[in-house]
């Protein structure tokens, strides 16, 4: 499937109180940690700055960062990699179904 328009993730996303939690595990089988993003409207780079800030605040024992590759698939998609100096990282996603 090809992208036919600008991705909101690449060009802007709004973080509100309903989508500001990022749950992750820093140890395999360990407890969940929750990073809380500040509300606002973010570009991709701004969003990843905020994700790294929130993860570092939630888990000060590790250092979190990111890289963005904007040239994947001829520039039509951006790949984001979250980095850590820890040995394990699992992002926990929940899909909400509206009925």
């Amino acid at each position: 499937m090809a992208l036919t328009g600008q991705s909101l993730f690449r060009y802007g996303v709004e973080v509100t109180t309903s989508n500001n939690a990022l749950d992750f595990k820093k140890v395999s089988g360990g407890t969940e940690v929750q990073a809380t993003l500040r509300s606002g409207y973010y570009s991709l780079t701004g969003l990843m700055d905020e994700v790294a800030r929130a993860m570092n605040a939630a888990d000060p024992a590790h250092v979190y960062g990111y890289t963005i590759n904007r040239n994947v698939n001829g520039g039509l998609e951006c790949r984001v990699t979250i980095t850590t100096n820890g040995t394990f990282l699992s992002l926990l996603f929940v899909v909400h179904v509206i009925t």
Side-chain angles (χ1 to χ4, degrees):
M1 180 167 126
L3 296 174
T4 58
Q6 295 178 344
S7 166
L8 286 178
F9 185 67
R10 183 174 182 180
Y11 292 96
V13 64
E14 184 178 12
V15 174
T16 66
T17 55
S18 64
N19 66 354
N20 66 348
L22 177 60
D23 297 329
F24 64 101
K25 288 187 178 186
K26 58 185 179 175
V27 177
S28 179
T31 60
E32 293 182 16
V33 178
Q34 186 174 81
T36 303
L37 306 177
R38 292 181 256 192
S39 295
Y41 190 77
Y42 295 97
S43 66
L44 176 58
T45 302
L47 178 63
M48 293 314 301
D49 284 343
E50 179 59 14
V51 166
R53 182 212 59 81
M55 290 179 78
N56 284 310
D59 178 21
H62 294 98
V63 177
Y64 297 92
Y66 66 91
T67 60
I68 298 172
N69 182 348
R70 296 183 184 271
N71 298 314
V72 179
N73 195 19
L76 292 177
E77 57 182 83
C78 289
R79 295 224 177 134
V80 175
T81 303
I82 297 176
T83 60
T84 179
N85 66 343
T87 59
F88 181 86
L89 175 62
S90 178
L91 299 178
L92 307 173
F93 293 97
V94 174
V95 177
H96 295 278
V97 179
I98 299 173
T99 57

